[in-house]
């Protein structure tokens, strides 16, 4: 299963719900305003780090760059571009978008 | 508004305290950009304008944005034009900065950092508060 | 969207004649748009047009006229940064008209 989150974790609970429901071995891709969660120093970073042993966390590079956050990404988070986004979708049988 | 109206200065009107409150991250929604445009327009009316950045709104001021990849305008540069529009009262809330691991050095413009109580009293003394 | 043709190439403009894509702009298009506005471009006009393009590059907006006037005064001196000088160059408004010729969007706050 691929989980996709696009809302800021400091504004809505989408990421929190996603991390609660995502089962071990799932992938979580953060896009748009959700990418702030994988940057160091923020409150959401701790939630991501706690989830990392069980989940592979991805973030969309162009969204981090657009927000001036590309230099602050947590270790262990894999960055993908739009091509990588498509690959992730095709590699997984199901997608859940936490709108 | 025409250039002529835009050019009216001084005027006879009453000067009110306007506060624009920005609480949304840029790009993900249109609020940040729309709010900035409203502020730029309001500058033509010579009011006492403050801009406040709290919660995810502090992300609007991060320096080093590169929006080429997502093909939208990098309006973070426009905050630097505010001074030329005589909008110089920019405030960020410390709690919001701390929660996001940000400091003043991460921001593209000079701001005044206020604690929550200071922000609250600033908000309380306004005539008009407009939220984005 | 309406199109204009300059030197054999077509460019998109909006319903008021402002160039849609900033990157399309070149001197020839500037001259074409000026002709449309019945402005004969001199070095003094180009100075303001180039100033506006630099301003847009730096701030990503077309300035309101009083901001333009102030910024021109700062960069090019008070004899140029005043309404009289700028309106003589661009009778229909230094912000609106000069922005159009410079290939910029209409200044924020103009209708």
């Amino acid at each position: 299963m691929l989980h996709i989150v696009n809302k800021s974790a400091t504004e809505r609970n989408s990421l929190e719900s996603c991390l609660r429901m995502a089962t071990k071995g799932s992938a979580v891709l953060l896009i748009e305003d959700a990418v702030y969660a994988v940057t160091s120093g923020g409150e959401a970073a701790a939630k991501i780090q706690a989830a990392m042993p069980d989940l592979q966390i991805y973030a969309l590079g162009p969204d981090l760059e657009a927000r001036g956050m590309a230099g602050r990404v947590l270790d262990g988070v894999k960055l993908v571009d739009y091509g990588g986004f498509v690959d992730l979708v095709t590699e997984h049988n199901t997608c859940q978008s936490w709108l | 508004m025409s250039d002529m109206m835009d050019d009216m200065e001084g005027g006879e009107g009453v000067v009110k305290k306007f506060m624009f409150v920005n609480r949304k991250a840029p790009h993900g929604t249109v609020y940040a950009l729309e709010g900035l445009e409203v502020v730029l327009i309001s500058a033509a009316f010579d009011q006492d304008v403050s801009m406040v950045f709290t919660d995810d709104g502090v992300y609007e001021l991060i320096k080093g944005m590169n929006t080429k990849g997502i093909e939208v305008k990098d309006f973070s540069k426009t905050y630097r034009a505010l001074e030329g529009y005589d909008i110089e009262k920019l405030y960020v809330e410390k709690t919001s900065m701390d929660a996001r691991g940000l400091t003043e050095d991460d921001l593209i413009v000079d701001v005044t950092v206020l604690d929550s109580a200071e922000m609250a009293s600033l908000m309380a003394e306004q005539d008009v508060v407009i939220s984005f | 969207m309406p199109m204009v043709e300059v030197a054999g190439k077509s460019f998109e403009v909006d319903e008021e004649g402002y160039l849609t894509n900033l990157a399309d702009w070149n001197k020839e298009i500037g001259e074409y748009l000026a002709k449309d506005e019945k402005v004969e471009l001199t070095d003094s006009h180009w100075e303001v047009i180039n100033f506006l393009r630099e301003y847009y590059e730096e701030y990503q907006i077309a300035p309101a006229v009083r901001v333009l006037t102030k910024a021109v005064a700062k960069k090019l001196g008070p004899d140029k940064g005043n309404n009289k000088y700028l309106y003589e160059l661009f009778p229909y408004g230094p912000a609106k008209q000069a922005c159009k010729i410079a290939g910029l969007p209409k200044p924020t706050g103009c209708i």
Side-chain angles (χ1 to χ4, degrees):
Chain A
M1 173 84 92
L2 172 67
H3 296 271
I4 302 174
V5 181
N6 77 335
K7 296 294 189 292
S8 165
T10 40
E11 199 198 349
R12 304 215 199 167
N13 61 6
S14 325
L15 178 69
E16 221 173 316
S17 298
C18 165
L19 294 178
R20 203 165 64 233
M21 298 293 164
T23 51
K24 199 177 163 86
S26 296
V28 175
L29 170 63
L30 305 184
I31 64 170
E32 299 172 22
D33 287 344
V35 298
Y36 291 114
V38 300
T39 60
S40 58
E43 282 172 350
K47 291 173 191 164
I48 291 290
Q49 275 163 329
M52 279 217 246
D54 290 338
L55 305 169
Q56 177 58 55
I57 310 287
Y58 298 88
L60 194 64
D63 276 326
L64 282 158
E65 283 158 21
R67 289 162 178 76
M69 291 298 202
R72 302 162 174 263
V73 179
L74 299 170
D75 288 340
V77 174
K78 286 188 183 165
L79 299 188
V80 293
D81 57 13
Y82 288 104
F85 186 165
V86 175
D87 291 340
L88 281 174
V89 172
T90 56
E91 281 162 20
H92 293 85
N93 290 327
T94 42
C95 271
Q96 155 73 315
S97 279
W98 295 85
L99 296 177
Chain B
M1 141 189 0
S2 71
D3 273 3
M4 294 303 283
M5 271 181 72
D6 208 10
D7 199 34
M8 289 195 310
E9 284 189 55
E12 306 297 315
V14 183
V15 175
K16 288 189 176 180
K17 289 184 159 209
F18 276 74
M19 176 185 277
F20 293 91
V21 182
N22 298 276
R23 296 185 52 253
K24 298 283 197 296
H27 313 313
T29 64
V30 80
Y31 290 97
L33 175 57
E34 292 288 326
L36 180 56
E37 292 202 333
V38 170
V39 169
L40 291 170
I41 292 164
S42 77
F45 299 103
D46 292 308
Q47 299 296 306
D48 180 1
V49 173
S50 304
M51 266 184 108
V52 157
F53 300 85
T54 68
D55 301 298
D56 278 1
V58 298
Y59 284 137
E60 293 177 25
L61 300 179
I62 296 291
K63 57 169 102 143
M65 294 190 194
N66 176 1
T67 56
K68 283 206 176 69
I70 63 168
E71 297 181 10
V72 301
K73 186 156 108 171
D74 177 8
F75 59 89
S76 69
K77 291 177 175 171
T78 307
Y79 294 104
R80 297 179 47 243
L82 287 169
E83 198 184 352
Y85 281 75
D86 296 321
I87 294 169
E88 293 174 36
K89 297 180 180 174
L90 307 183
Y91 303 96
V92 299
E93 191 207 17
K94 187 172 187 304
T95 311
S96 304
M97 295 281 279
D98 291 347
R100 288 160 186 78
L102 303 174
T103 68
E104 264 181 271
D105 291 342
D106 297 316
L107 308 183
I108 195 166
V109 282
D110 290 334
V111 296
T112 305
V113 181
L114 301 180
D115 65 33
S116 303
E118 290 168 324
M119 188 65 91
S121 56
L122 183 68
M123 209 172 274
E125 70 185 37
Q126 301 297 316
D127 296 308
V128 182
V129 179
I130 300 174
S131 228
F132 291 97
Chain C
M1 281 288 182
M3 306 290 285
V4 297
E5 201 174 299
V6 181
K9 280 178 82 179
S10 309
F11 301 96
E12 199 179 274
V13 293
D14 70 12
E15 62 279 359
E16 292 177 273
Y18 288 81
L19 203 63
T20 310
N21 186 357
L22 190 72
D24 281 346
W25 189 88
N26 57 39
K27 274 194 96 154
E28 287 69 42
I29 293 179
E31 275 157 10
Y32 173 91
L33 294 166
K35 217 170 159 183
D36 213 38
E37 293 282 317
K38 302 189 173 51
V39 172
E40 198 163 326
L41 295 178
T42 63
D43 286 349
S44 307
H45 291 89
W46 282 112
E47 193 174 42
V48 175
I49 292 166
N50 290 331
F51 179 86
L52 274 170
R53 289 194 61 88
E54 282 166 25
Y55 186 96
Y56 191 92
E57 177 62 28
E58 188 166 351
Y59 299 118
Q60 300 293 299
I61 45 164
V65 67
R66 72 171 177 165
V67 178
L68 171 68
T69 310
K70 208 165 69 176
V72 167
K74 207 167 156 189
K75 178 98 183 280
L76 305 172
D79 51 325
K80 291 177 178 171
N82 63 72
N83 280 337
K84 186 172 178 292
Y85 178 82
L86 293 170
Y87 272 97
E88 270 168 18
L89 291 177
F90 301 99
Y92 285 94
K96 262 160 62 169
Q97 200 169 35
C99 282
K100 188 188 252 186
I101 296 168
L104 306 182
K106 197 159 69 167
T108 300
C110 283
I111 48 167

